[in-house]
Each structure stands twice: as C-alpha cells, then as structure tokens.
Amino acid sequence: MDMPVSHASDIDLFTDEALADPYPLYRALRDVGPAAWLNRHDVWFIGRHDSVRAALGDWQTWSSAGGVGLNPTINEAWKNALICVDPPVHTQMRTLITDRLGPRQLEGVQKTIVQRAERLASRIAAQRDFEAVTDVAHDLPIGVLMDLIGWPEDVRGGLLELAAGSFDACGPDNPRMRAALPRLEAMMAFIADTYDRGRLAEGGFGWTIADAARRGEIPREAAIGMLAGYVVAAFDTTIAAIANGLFRFAENPAQWERLRAEPALLPSAFNEIVRIDTPIQGFARVATRDVDVGGGIVVPEGARAIVSYASASRDERRFPDPDRFDIGRRPLDHLGFGLGVHGCAGQSLARLEAHAVFGALARHVTRFELLEPPQRALNNVIRCHARIRMRAHA
C-alpha cells in the first residue's frame, strides 16, 4: 500500500531493542499524526490517547472480528476467543464472564484473596530476599484464578507452562512469533482435551462456560476459545502488572512511602502502575470503512491497525510528564484495560488481587531494594519481566 511519506514510518516496534523500551518509539509515532503507517509491517499504528479512545469506543468501525493479531495463524486460532468476536455474539459470550467475575460476584472470594495476600506479604517480609515474578506476582493470579475457573489440580502446572509467552503469537511474522506457535497449538489442544473429558470442576467459572455449550447457547469451539483466552489474558496480564508495580516502587521509594502513609491511594496507585507499564501494549483492529482519523489521514476500509493502549497511556497530550511514576496522579482515563465492549472482562478480579497484594505488602515492608538489574521478558504484546531479584526491608 502506497502511503504519503508524511504519514509513514520505518520504525520497527518488534525488534529486541524496541520491545525492551518502546516508549520513545511510541512518542515518535504519535508525532507523525493520529495514525502512522508502519512500512516494516504494512499496518497502521494508532497511538494518541484521543484516537485510541475513539477507536476502542467504536467497534462497528474498528472491528475485532478479523482477529487482534498481526498474522493469519493466530487470528484463525483465536477466532472464537472473546476478544476476537464482535456483538451481538460477543455480548452473549461476555455475559457468561461478567455474571461470574463482575465486582458484585467477586465479593464472596474477596476475603480469601485478602487473607492469601496477607500470608504472602508476611512470608516475603520474613524471607527478605525474593524474586518478584515467581515469589509474589504468580501467587494470587495462579492460586486464586485456578480455583475460580475450576482447573483440575493435576493439569495446572502443564497449563501454566504452555500459556507462558502465548501472546508472542499475536505479533508479526518474526522469529518470536514462529517460536510461540507450537506452544500455542499445544495449549489449545490441552484445553480442548480437558474440556472434552469433562474435567472442569463443577461450580467453577469454566464449568459455567462448558455448561452453556452443552445447552447449545454457545458452540463448543467458542467455549474452548473463551477458556483459552481467559487463561492467557488473566495470568499474563495480572502477573505482569504486579511485577511491574514492584519494580516501579523499588525504583521510586518515595512513592512507596507515600502509599504506606496514605493507604487510600491504593486504587490510584494500581491505575498508575497499569498506565505507565500497560501489560497489553496493543491489539489489532480492522477498519470496516474508510476512516478519517484527522490530520489529513484516512485509514482505508479493510486496513489493519495496531491500537496501542500503552502509547495512549503515555501520551503527553493527555498526561503531563507521562514518563514519571506518580501514584497521586489518579489517571482514571488511562486505557490500560482497554475500553468499550472489548474492555478487559477480568479487570475487577485483577484490581482485587493487585489491591490486596500491594495493600498487604505496604503493611509489612518499609521499602524494596533491587539486588540486580531486572530482566525483561521480551514479548510481542505483553510488557513484562522475566526476573526481578529484590530485598524487602521489614
């Protein structure tokens, strides 16, 4: 596709260097205009806050039904996942999740989550030296969500191993994407086998989805797609957010001191964690018509665009000094959880878990210290860490 030079860029967002620190590149692309054509990948990039917000709020124009990835293999594999289905089918499928994982429905597990977080914080304070990803960030998302979904105990370890890195498969056709495909295929087969053998625990969220399929309310393939989508999204994103938050507080001890002194800032603090290091950097959408996005740029019908939540949440047009971590910012309009009909269906659970973890740690730990430079887990979609060795000062 031939694009005006003024609206195009040779920036490659998927090199190792770009994935390690994408934010200067996002800023450069925002400066191109409301949308920029990426020559390297034949896809548009939408990164300004107002443009991303408009796209996410208009599913009729910016459709997910063509897949949210940048290659046909993942879009075919995930065609029945909730994120890849538009209304009215999406509405029926999403209700199965919100009926079980909405704020009111989670009241019954809140006490369990808070108690588990308190035990975790007490253990970390006594242990002192710990690894933030496996010792802390994994604890609640894995321990609580596995029970909520109702996965059999004997399959949990294998499922987690297969799910790790699955978002890489959403990227363009590059080595990282190709390396993720066998694991993705194995995970889908693993989940389908568990579903077909009726091994989901009765009463769990997974059972609710399976029961809806048995009654003919949704197809079998949709049930499996929903289970797979929730496994990947719920684990990777919440784990990434908690680990990212620990890293930010270690680098910004004054912000941790402020949270300890003002516990009421906890919701604002988690919003700031998600804003400054948005776990899902962006998903693709497909234009269903010619779209005038402003600045003399028209995205043609049928074109695919990366709608970047992470870029929008660092947009200096909306957030003053956007690269500064400030828990008093109260960024209620960050787009880290998406927006509109495809906004994160599990964000109530993610908030509940993160609030419990950071709230408990604030009662037990006076400050965090980095013991070595953290290691990023480079991923085509997720902003996450592989390893953060830290010390907790009790």
Side-chain angles (χ1 to χ4, degrees):
M1 186 182 298
D2 295 329
M3 297 307 305
V5 173
S6 60
H7 300 154
S9 172
D10 287 326
I11 286 175
D12 186 349
L13 293 174
F14 300 97
T15 66
D16 286 358
E17 295 76 16
L19 294 175
D21 184 16
Y23 300 112
L25 302 180
Y26 292 159
R27 179 184 286 265
L29 290 171
R30 289 194 299 269
D31 288 343
V32 171
W37 176 253
L38 301 184
N39 290 323
R40 300 292 185 92
H41 301 293
D42 288 347
V43 67
W44 288 90
F45 178 88
I46 300 175
R48 291 185 182 178
H49 186 275
D50 58 352
S51 301
V52 170
R53 187 177 182 87
L56 294 178
D58 184 3
W59 64 266
Q60 294 95 334
T61 298
W62 295 102
S63 174
S64 295
V68 298
L70 297 179
N71 67 84
T73 303
I74 186 63
N75 291 331
E76 174 64 23
W78 277 10
K79 65 181 180 181
N80 292 298
L82 185 65
I83 191 65
C84 297
V85 180
D86 284 335
V89 176
H90 175 275
T91 306
Q92 179 186 16
M93 292 170 63
R94 186 181 173 99
T95 299
L96 294 171
I97 294 179
T98 55
D99 281 352
R100 294 297 303 274
L101 298 179
R104 187 176 302 173
Q105 290 73 21
L106 289 171
E107 289 177 359
V109 300
Q110 183 170 1
K111 182 178 180 181
T112 300
I113 289 174
V114 170
Q115 289 175 340
R116 184 172 185 126
E118 189 67 23
R119 291 194 299 269
L120 170 64
S122 179
R123 182 170 70 249
I124 292 300
Q127 184 176 324
R128 293 199 70 209
D129 291 359
F130 67 99
E131 200 284 296
V133 179
T134 55
D135 291 343
V136 177
H138 277 188
D139 191 276
L140 264 73
I142 292 174
V144 172
L145 191 61
M146 284 291 194
D147 289 339
L148 280 176
I149 295 179
W151 290 111
E153 292 279 353
D154 62 312
V155 309
R156 296 184 179 189
L159 183 58
L160 286 173
E161 183 178 345
L162 291 174
S166 291
F167 272 122
D168 260 335
C170 288
D173 188 359
N174 60 17
R176 188 171 285 108
M177 182 279 284
R178 290 191 290 273
L181 288 181
R183 180 172 291 182
L184 174 69
E185 293 169 359
M187 184 190 76
M188 297 299 294
F190 193 99
I191 292 172
D193 180 67
T194 303
Y195 171 89
D196 288 337
R197 292 166 61 194
R199 299 208 59 213
L200 294 160
E202 187 170 356
F205 162 60
W207 176 269
T208 299
I209 294 175
D211 197 43
R214 284 190 290 269
R215 294 195 304 269
E217 296 176 11
I218 59 174
R220 166 188 175 273
E221 291 74 18
I224 293 170
M226 289 177 69
L227 287 169
Y230 205 78
V231 165
V232 176
F235 288 138
D236 277 4
T237 55
T238 309
I239 289 168
I242 292 174
N244 289 341
L246 288 167
F247 166 68
R248 289 290 168 182
F249 281 124
E251 279 213 319
N252 299 272
Q255 295 296 311
W256 183 248
E257 291 175 9
R258 185 176 183 186
L259 180 61
R260 296 187 71 239
E262 301 177 64
L265 284 176
L266 188 54
S268 174
F270 186 56
N271 277 330
E272 179 68 350
I273 289 167
V274 174
R275 182 199 70 81
I276 200 166
D277 275 319
T278 299
I280 292 181
Q281 297 279 284
F283 276 141
R285 299 287 191 272
V286 175
T288 61
R289 59 177 177 82
D290 290 354
V291 187
D292 185 345
V293 296
I297 302 174
V298 175
V299 177
E301 179 181 354
R304 186 171 294 272
I306 300 170
V307 180
S308 179
Y309 314 153
S311 175
S313 293
R314 292 272 193 123
D315 187 356
E316 62 281 0
R317 297 162 185 79
R318 182 65 190 86
F319 301 104
D321 196 8
D323 299 330
R324 177 172 56 88
F325 179 60
D326 178 8
I327 68 170
R329 189 189 295 270
R330 303 182 187 276
L332 296 177
D333 56 349
H334 75 82
L335 297 173
F337 286 115
L339 187 74
V341 299
H342 286 295
C344 176
Q347 65 178 283
S348 295
L349 179 59
R351 292 183 191 277
L352 188 57
E353 292 173 335
H355 292 179
V357 168
F358 288 112
L361 287 170
R363 291 187 291 273
H364 288 268
V365 178
T366 59
R367 68 182 177 93
F368 296 105
E369 176 188 354
L370 291 173
L371 298 179
E372 60 185 37
Q375 298 176 23
R376 283 280 174 192
L378 302 184
N379 188 285
N380 282 327
V381 172
I382 292 286
R383 178 76 173 164
C384 56
H385 286 88
R387 179 180 173 86
I388 315 174
R389 289 197 63 244
M390 304 178 73
R391 175 168 295 155
H393 294 266

